[in-house]
Amino acid sequence: GAVIAVPEPVLDTVRRHARQVRPGREVVGCLFVRPIDGRPPRAAREYEAVRYVRRRNLARVPGAFRVAAGWARGRRPGEVAVLLHSHPNGLLYPSDEDVDEANGKWLGRPYAIYSLTKDKVGFFELLPDQSEWRPWEGAVPRHAEPTDSRSPST
């Protein structure tokens, strides 16, 4: 899989966001990563997170997340936008609800989870049959790059 470094200042921004919400609530944001192995974004295997931008969780119930279209706005040339949401109770792997919620929206796109209890970020991608997740392999197909008009609703 891909190697994604999350420097302490970026992780601290995610950590602060996750700790500022009510217990049991998930946070959502956009983690921008860039290749550090000299390859273009769509072919790289080594990345570094360069910044995290908070987004509003539109879900009305604890333990769920929903993000508005445009979640990847602010992506700069050479960056890959990665949707991040938190699991406040520790799971550092997409839940069954994440698989259900993906519903075709994440095929080929990197997806990140921050575990508040483990204080780590995990990166995943949905398998082509959309049945389960695997660690993100690093390549980003051109069709998978989010735009404001084509962004998923969750």
Side-chain angles (χ1 to χ4, degrees):
V3 175
I4 304 103
V6 182
E8 188 61 30
V10 177
L11 182 60
D12 192 50
T13 303
V14 174
R15 183 184 296 128
R16 281 194 317 266
H17 188 199
R19 290 180 179 162
Q20 290 174 348
V21 298
R22 293 190 311 268
R25 295 286 298 183
E26 295 185 4
V27 298
V28 88
C30 187
L31 191 63
F32 293 97
V33 302
R34 64 178 167 84
I36 57 174
D37 61 2
R39 297 178 181 176
R42 284 186 218 69
R45 294 284 182 225
E46 295 179 31
Y47 299 82
E48 179 178 62
V50 292
R51 59 199 168 91
Y52 172 75
V53 178
R54 296 173 182 214
R55 299 295 185 224
R56 186 169 167 237
N57 184 353
L58 302 175
R60 299 196 186 276
V61 296
F65 82 95
R66 185 167 173 249
V67 65
W71 63 269
R73 71 182 175 277
R75 183 173 60 91
R76 297 174 184 152
E79 291 180 342
V80 175
V82 179
L83 182 72
L84 179 142
H85 80 280
S86 66
H87 281 177
N89 298 320
L91 187 66
L92 188 59
Y93 193 80
S95 64
D96 291 341
E97 291 81 13
D98 293 334
V99 174
D100 293 341
E101 193 64 37
N103 193 21
K105 300 170 193 162
W106 296 108
L107 194 58
R109 293 183 181 171
Y111 184 85
I113 293 173
Y114 171 71
S115 166
L116 188 59
T117 57
K118 296 184 187 316
D119 195 32
K120 291 184 179 178
V121 176
F123 295 86
F124 305 92
E125 64 184 337
L126 193 59
L127 290 176
D129 68 3
Q130 301 180 39
S131 63
E132 62 183 298
W133 301 85
R134 68 177 172 206
W136 181 38
E137 295 296 325
V140 181
R142 181 179 295 276
H143 75 274
E145 291 180 3
T147 64
D148 285 346
S149 62
R150 215 168 30 143
S151 295
S153 63
T154 56

